[in-house]
Amino acid sequence: SIALTSEPINTLAVSPDGASVAVGAGGRRAEGVRLLDAATGAVRRQAAAGSQPLRELAFSPDGHLIAGASGDGNAYIISVAD
């Protein structure tokens, strides 16, 4: 078990190579996107994504970008690069 947040996890996506998992959490407040190492659960990167919780996440086919959509209808593109 990995304790990421006290907020509910709304969405997640697995990278095309299976090495990373993107997690979007938030209930009372938005927590953006956390990029995790799929093998260890370690947080590799965290990025803000607006004021509303993310509802959808998807990796680009090459795994370099994450697309996210929030509950207020906004969309975000987040780079996976450190």
Side-chain angles (χ1 to χ4, degrees):
S1 144
I2 300 169
L4 291 176
T5 176
S6 61
E7 296 291 322
I9 293 174
N10 298 322
T11 183
L12 61 87
V14 178
S15 64
D17 65 3
S20 300
V21 177
V23 177
R28 296 179 301 277
R29 65 187 198 294
E31 294 201 350
V33 176
R34 285 185 177 94
L35 184 65
L36 309 177
D37 181 289
T40 66
V43 177
R44 293 182 36 213
R45 180 165 162 69
Q46 186 166 341
S51 62
Q52 295 291 313
L54 291 168
R55 301 291 180 213
E56 301 290 336
L57 288 173
F59 276 89
S60 62
D62 64 8
H64 294 155
L65 299 172
I66 301 167
S70 64
D72 61 5
N74 288 315
Y76 302 92
I77 304 294
I78 300 156
S79 174
V80 172
D82 293 331

